[in-house]
Amino acid sequence: MTVTATPVGESDSMPPQAAPVRRRRLERLVPALAAALSGLLLYVSFPPRTLWWLALPAFGVLGWVLRGRGWKAALGLGYLFGLGFLLPLLVWTGVEVGPGPWLALVVIEAVFVALVGAGIAAVSRLPGWPVWAAALWIAGEAVRARMPFEGFPWGKIAFGQADGVFLPLAALGGTPVLGFAVVLCGFGLYEIVRLGLEARRTGTVRGAAAAVGALSVAVPLVGAVAARPLVSDAAEDGTVTVAVIQGNVPRLGLDFNAQRRAVLDYHARETERLAAEVKAGKVQRPDIVLWPENSSDIDPFANPDARAVIDRAAKAIGAPVSVGGVVGRDGKLLNEQILWDPAKGPVDTYDKRQIQPFGEYLPLRSLIGAINDEWTSMVRQDFSRGSEPGVFTMDGARVGLVTCYEAAFDWAVRDTVTDGAQLISVPSNNATFGRSEMTYQQLAMSRVRAVEHSRTVTVPVTSGVSAVILPDGTITQRTGMFVADSLVQEVPLRSSQTPATRVGIAPEIALVLIAAGGLGWAVVAGVRGRRAGDA
C-alpha cells in the first residue's frame, strides 16, 4: 500500500472554488455599502451643516454604483442610497410620535429614489448619460412633490444648496434647475474620473465622452456665475421696517399648546416688551409686525379674552400685526393668518392651503385607526384647506403669506409673488419637533425661496429659529431656539420678477420630458441589442 504524505494544514485550507465565491460576495457588498454611504454623504451636505459641496461626490459615487447595472440591482442600490439619505434627514418626524411614522415615511419615500436609480442605470449606457441621469433625478423629485397625499418635497437637492455656489441658478429656473445643476455636476465629475482611469489603462482617450463629462461640470458652474446679476437686495419699492416676534412656548413637544392661551400670552408679552423698547427709543418703530403660525393657540373670533389680548398688543406696538391662529368657522377647522389692525381689529385672513398629512389631517383614517388608535387621537379633526393665495397689505407693503409646510412647495411660494407680494413671510411652528434639525432645514428652504423670487423673506417661528433673510439669501438676523425674542429690521421691498418666477413650472416640465426621452431611448437601444444578440 502506498501512503501519500499530506502537508500540515492543507486539509484545513479553503477549497479552490471558495476564493471566487468570496470575491463575488465582496463584489456585491462593496456597491451596496457605497450606495448607502453616498446617501449618508448627501445628508451631511444639508443644513445645519454648510458642507453643500459634499452633494457632488455623493452623486459621483452614485453614478459609479449604478452605471451599467441591470434594473434589479440598480433598484436595490438606489433604495439603499435613498435610505442612507432620508433616514437621518427625516429623523425629526419621529421626535414626538416615535419611530413608526418616521420609518414608514422613509420606507415609502426611498421607493421613489429606488425607481430613479433603476432609470439612471438604464440611461447610463447612452451617450451623454450624465444629462439623462440628472434629469431623471429631478423627475423623481417632481413625482415625490406630488404623491402620495399631495406630495412631500422635503429633501430636494436645491434645499441643501443655500450656502453653495450654484444658488443663483434658483433665480434662473427655480429649484428644478438648481437641483439639476448640482446632480449633473456630480455625475460629470464621476465621468471625468472614469474616463481618465480608462485612458490610463488603455492609452485611448474617448474625445466625445470626455467632452460631455467636462461640459457636465463646466456648464453648471458657468451658469451659476452668469446668473449672479439676477441676485440683488436693492430696494425697488422703498423699504419697510419689520418686526418678527418669537414668543416661545411653555413646553416642548406635541402638547406645547395644551395650556390654554399660554402661547398667545407669550407672543403678546414679547410684542408689548418690544413696544416698551420702541417707546424708550431703544429700538426703531416697526411698520409691520409678524407673528408665527399658531401664535394664538385659541380662536380669537370665538374667545373674547383672546381677542382682547391680541388687540391690546397691536395697540401697544401701534402697527398692523399678522397673527397665526387656529380658527373654527362654519364647521371647518382652519390654520389661519389674521391681519390685525390696531384700530379696526381683524380685517383680512389667509387660510393655509397645503396642509400637512398626518399632522393637520389624517389620510386613511380608518385604516390607521385599526393599526394604532393613538395616532388617530393626535389628529382628532382634520384641518380644511384654503383656496386663494394670501397677500396682506400692511402699512402699504404687500406681504405674501407662506405658512410653514407650504415653503417646501414651489407653487405655494410662487403664486404669492405673482399675486403681488413685495416681501414674503413664512410663519411657522416648529415646537413639535424639539431641537431637531427640522427648523434649520426649513430655514434653508426660505433662503432658497428668497433668491428664487428676489424677495425679502421673514421667518417668524413660535420657538425658533426665527430669521430675517434678504433677497440675496443672506440671513441678517436670527434668534436662538426656545427663547422669547424679537427681530426688528428695515428691509427692501421688490416687485420685479425673476426668470424663475415668470417661467414657473416650465423648467421642471422640460427636465421631466428630457428624462422620459432618455428612458425611451434606453429602452429602444436595449430591445435592439437583444434582437441583435438573438440574431
Side-chain angles (χ1 to χ4, degrees), residues 358-380:
F358 304 100
E360 293 171 306
Y361 79 100
L362 196 62
L364 311 174
R365 182 177 288 273
S366 58
L367 176 61
I368 291 172
I371 298 172
N372 190 327
D373 287 336
E374 291 183 5
W375 293 348
T376 58
S377 66
M378 292 177 186
V379 187
R380 293 185 178 87

Side-chain angles (χ1 to χ4, degrees), residues 298-497:
I298 58 176
D299 184 352
F301 296 106
N303 295 273
D305 58 336
R307 185 182 183 111
V309 168
I310 299 172
D311 208 47
R312 186 173 64 249
K315 283 181 168 62
I317 198 66
V321 183
S322 179
V323 178
V326 178
V327 174
R329 184 179 295 118
D330 301 326
K332 296 179 179 179
L333 190 62
L334 300 166
N335 186 336
E336 192 165 81
Q337 287 292 309
I338 308 163
L339 176 54
W340 208 283
D341 185 271
K344 301 176 183 178
V347 294
D348 200 358
T349 60
Y350 165 66
D351 299 324
K352 187 176 182 180
R353 294 169 293 161
Q354 188 68 39
I355 57 177
Q356 183 181 348
F358 304 100
E360 293 171 306
Y361 79 100
L362 196 62
L364 311 174
R365 182 177 288 273
S366 58
L367 176 61
I368 291 172
I371 298 172
N372 190 327
D373 287 336
E374 291 183 5
W375 293 348
T376 58
S377 66
M378 292 177 186
V379 187
R380 293 185 178 87
Q381 181 182 351
D382 292 343
F383 279 81
S384 296
R385 304 172 187 274
S387 58
E388 299 293 332
V391 180
F392 288 167
T393 300
M394 304 178 70
D395 198 33
R398 301 271 290 168
V399 181
L401 284 306
V402 180
T403 306
C404 196
Y405 184 57
E406 293 181 323
F409 293 82
D410 294 350
W411 65 267
V413 184
R414 177 178 177 269
D415 66 4
T416 64
V417 178
T418 57
D419 206 46
Q422 297 168 303
L423 68 86
I424 299 169
S425 181
V426 185
S428 303
N429 175 22
N430 298 338
T432 301
F433 306 109
R435 298 182 182 275
S436 71
E437 294 183 356
M438 182 270 186
T439 191
Y440 300 103
Q441 293 169 9
Q442 190 177 54
L443 187 60
M445 289 180 194
S446 296
R447 293 179 65 192
V448 172
R449 298 305 185 192
V451 173
E452 182 179 14
H453 299 291
S454 196
R455 295 292 187 271
T456 297
V457 177
T458 59
V459 187
V461 185
T462 50
S463 54
V465 173
S466 300
V468 177
I469 306 167
L470 292 182
D472 63 359
T474 303
I475 298 176
T476 54
Q477 292 191 67
R478 63 192 296 175
T479 69
M481 293 185 71
F482 294 99
V483 294
D485 203 352
S486 55
L487 308 173
V488 179
Q489 184 174 333
E490 184 179 4
V491 298
L493 298 176
R494 294 178 61 85
S495 56
S496 63
Q497 294 186 1

Side-chain angles (χ1 to χ4, degrees), residues 34-35 37-43 45-46 52-67 81-82 85 113 116-117 120 129-130 133-138 141 144 155-158 161 178-191:
L37 290 177
S38 59
L40 182 62
L41 193 65
L42 181 59
Y43 155 71
S45 75
F46 271 65
W52 58 269
W53 52 271
L54 287 179
L56 304 183
F59 280 103
V61 174
L62 182 65
W64 168 70
V65 165
L66 294 177
R67 191 174 188 280
F81 181 85
F85 173 44
V113 181
V116 169
I120 290 173
W129 73 268
L136 271 165
W137 183 273
I138 300 305
E141 288 189 343
R144 284 205 305 121
K156 271 190 168 187
I157 299 306
Q161 296 296 309
L178 173 54
F180 174 76
V182 174
V183 180
L184 177 62
C185 196
F187 286 146
L189 284 172
Y190 162 64
E191 183 71 344

